[in-house]
């Protein structure tokens, strides 16, 4: 919905429209409808099946459902992160009947097939289907969509979930971050978490970046464009001295049906560094190094367990060059 394009499939070819953009914008939504009609005429395209994102509230999904009912067409709902991995396979000419891969999809948010919000996923996938093998341990989004606009909410949620708010308040007294968060409406947020009101759980890696960025004072209050906090965090990490090779630890919990990549040890190490006065660029660099090592290690483990030779990396977080090169290297 945010970066929409239209894709027609005909005679084995994929015909992509121009980039349309955010369908929440009324003018973009009008252009979306116009482009669908125009491309249908230009390419004499009469669809036999429609494919939409699994998320029921996307305008493109709603449009697909309306058209499927109107024209009596089959409708295929595609899970967001499975689509990410399938796109990597296609982009690399992976054979249709080729072996499955371990797909690592790290991004902001996408609706999972269990009805929760995904975004830090390790999938066993080919073109035909997938199975979720592991994911980032979920944290709530206080205020739902508001948490995407105000990164400090993610910092609070991650600390409350992975450290425990009472532990944080008692263990890191005097920390600038504690003082900053102390001026926020934490009682309200705590009640929301306690009662499960507008705090959807999410395994989003993008929101983890937001949380760490805000902990370091980056884009805390509000972001003015998508990915701002994460971009500023990567920029900060680039300022660290290259000889610093420490990496924050992550844990892997194998007790759940799907493995969990747990950031709790990372948060403890990060908070200790902040208390010790470690410079922010070094903290940012250690976070990148730790996440990259954890992602690469878990992907390699999952591949080895299934005797697979390929890992596919995708998702908006992989636009982070520092992270991508560390994972793929």
């Amino acid at each position: 919905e945010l970066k929409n394009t239209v894709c027609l499939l005909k005679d084995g070819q994929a015909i992509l429209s121009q980039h349309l953009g955010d369908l929440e914008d009324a003018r973009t939504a009008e252009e979306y409808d116009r482009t669908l009609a125009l491309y249908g005429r230009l390419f004499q395209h009469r669809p036999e099946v429609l494919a939409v994102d699994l998320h029921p509230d996307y305008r493109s999904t709603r449009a697909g459902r309306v058209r499927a009912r109107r024209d009596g067409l089959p409708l295929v709902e595609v899970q967001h992160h499975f689509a990410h991995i399938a796109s990597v396979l296609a982009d690399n000419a992976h054979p249709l009947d080729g072996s499955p891969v371990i797909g690592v999809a790290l991004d902001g948010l996408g609706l999972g097939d269990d009805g929760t919000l995904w975004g830090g996923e390790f999938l066993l996938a080919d073109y035909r289907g997938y199975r979720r093998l592991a994911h980032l341990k979920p944290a709530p989004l206080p205020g739902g969509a508001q948490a995407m606009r105000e990164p400090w909410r993610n910092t609070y949620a991650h600390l409350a979930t992975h450290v425990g708010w009472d532990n944080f308040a008692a263990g890191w007294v005097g920390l600038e971050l504690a003082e900053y968060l102390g001026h926020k409406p934490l009682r309200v947020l705590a009640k929301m978490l306690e009662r499960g009101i507008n705090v959807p759980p999410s395994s989003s890696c993008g929101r983890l970046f937001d949380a760490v960025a805000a902990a370091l004072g980056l884009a805390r209050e509000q972001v003015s464009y998508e990915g701002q906090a994460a971009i500023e965090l990567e920029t900060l990490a680039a300022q660290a001295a290259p000889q610093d090779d420490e990496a924050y630890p992550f844990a892997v919990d194998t007790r759940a049906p799907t493995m969990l990549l747990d950031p709790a040890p990372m948060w403890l190490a990060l908070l200790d560094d902040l208390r010790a006065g470690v410079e922010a660029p070094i903290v940012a660099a250690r976070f990148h190094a730790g996440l990259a090592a954890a992602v690469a290690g878990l992907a390699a483990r999952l591949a080895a367990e299934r005797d697979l030779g390929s890992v596919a990396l995708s998702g908006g977080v992989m636009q982070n060059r520092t992270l991508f090169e560390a994972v793929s290297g």
Side-chain angles (χ1 to χ4, degrees), residues 72-140:
L73 297 173
L75 185 71
V76 178
E77 296 179 330
V78 184
Q79 200 282 322
H80 185 91
H81 301 96
F82 172 42
H84 266 300
I85 302 307
S87 74
V88 176
L89 299 183
D91 202 35
N92 288 274
H94 189 74
L96 183 61
D97 59 352
S99 299
V101 302
I102 299 299
V104 181
L106 307 180
D107 67 1
L109 294 172
L111 186 67
D113 56 23
D114 61 355
T116 66
L117 297 171
W118 295 5
E121 308 307 314
F122 296 77
L123 309 177
L124 177 65
D126 56 19
Y127 289 108
R128 295 177 175 86
Y130 72 96
R131 181 158 60 92
R132 194 187 197 195
L133 301 178
H135 58 88
L136 194 65
K137 187 175 181 179

Side-chain angles (χ1 to χ4, degrees), residues 132-156:
R132 194 187 197 195
L133 301 178
H135 58 88
L136 194 65
K137 187 175 181 179
L141 299 176
Q146 196 69 12
M148 293 183 275
R149 294 186 285 266
E150 299 178 358
W152 68 266
R153 292 173 177 262
N154 297 287
T155 308
Y156 168 74

Side-chain angles (χ1 to χ4, degrees), residues 165-227:
W165 184 254
D166 291 341
N167 291 337
F168 170 71
W172 287 271
V173 177
L175 202 64
E176 184 276 335
L177 174 60
E179 183 178 348
Y180 169 81
L181 290 174
H183 290 92
K184 294 299 181 182
L186 300 187
R187 288 186 179 180
V188 175
L189 267 60
K191 283 293 184 183
M192 291 168 62
L193 294 178
E194 179 185 337
R195 299 175 182 176
I197 299 173
N198 198 20
V199 285
S202 171
S203 58
S204 170
C205 191
R207 301 292 80 79
L208 173 62
F209 268 85
D210 286 352
V212 172
L216 297 183
L218 304 174
R220 270 179 174 170
E221 288 295 321
Q222 193 167 21
V223 295
S224 56
Y225 59 88
E226 185 195 10

